[in-house]
Amino acid sequence: VPDTHGELAKLTAAITAAGGDFISFGTFSGETANDRTITFKITGLEMDQVEPVIGSVITRLMDIRLCCD
């Protein structure tokens, strides 16, 4: 996500508005000084629902996977 004010709020709001709940969340340095890499684990959404929900908020999706069936 871009390293600008309110970007994390947009991401979390999109997930929660779609019915997702965060289990874990981490923020790391991005590929440039102007962005951040975000990792998170959620419940409440199917895997195929996540990308459409966050697509307008993120700049790039690096990985998505199913965990803990």
Side-chain angles (χ1 to χ4, degrees):
V1 297
D3 185 23
T4 56
H5 181 77
E7 292 300 315
L8 291 178
K10 289 178 190 176
L11 176 64
T12 58
I15 293 288
T16 55
D21 292 308
F22 284 89
I23 296 172
S24 62
F25 193 92
T27 306
F28 306 93
S29 296
E31 295 176 340
T32 72
N34 299 320
D35 61 18
R36 296 293 173 255
T37 297
I38 310 298
T39 62
F40 56 87
K41 187 185 296 186
I42 59 170
T43 61
L45 295 174
E46 297 295 326
M47 191 166 79
D48 62 347
Q49 293 176 293
V50 177
E51 188 172 359
V53 167
I54 65 173
S56 66
V57 180
I58 64 173
T59 53
R60 183 171 77 123
L61 179 62
M62 295 175 70
D63 185 21
I64 188 169
R65 62 182 87 171
L66 182 63
C67 172
C68 315
D69 274 340

